[in-house]
Amino acid sequence: MLRPTMEKLGLTVPEAAALSSLGQTSIYKAIKEGRLRIRKYGTRTIITRTDLASFLENLPDEPEE
């Protein structure tokens, strides 16, 4: 039985991008810079919901004017 994306524990890059409202390019950039942790299973790249949430929570606040 397949789980809807909202319930999955592990996300693909496209799913993580859609769930976070970021583009796939931004997700790949964060991975390359070491700011977003990934897991590998064979050739699959998996981003856990916890790691995605932590990445988003640690983004800088909007600067005050």
Side-chain angles (χ1 to χ4, degrees):
M1 182 172 163
L2 297 175
R3 289 179 154 185
T5 302
M6 295 303 289
E7 295 179 20
K8 291 171 69 173
L9 298 176
L11 305 167
T12 63
V13 170
E15 290 170 339
L19 191 60
S20 65
S21 298
L22 295 173
Q24 289 184 44
T25 303
S26 296
I27 295 291
Y28 281 117
K29 181 179 178 190
I31 292 168
K32 183 178 179 182
E33 293 173 347
R35 299 185 317 144
L36 177 56
R37 183 177 179 190
I38 60 168
R39 317 296 169 99
K40 295 296 278 189
Y41 186 76
T43 59
R44 296 204 47 140
T45 299
I46 300 169
I47 301 168
T48 66
R49 286 179 165 274
T50 303
D51 289 334
L52 181 61
S54 177
F55 166 72
L56 293 172
E57 289 170 5
N58 287 304
L59 288 175
D61 293 331
E62 182 177 3
E64 295 182 20
E65 293 184 25

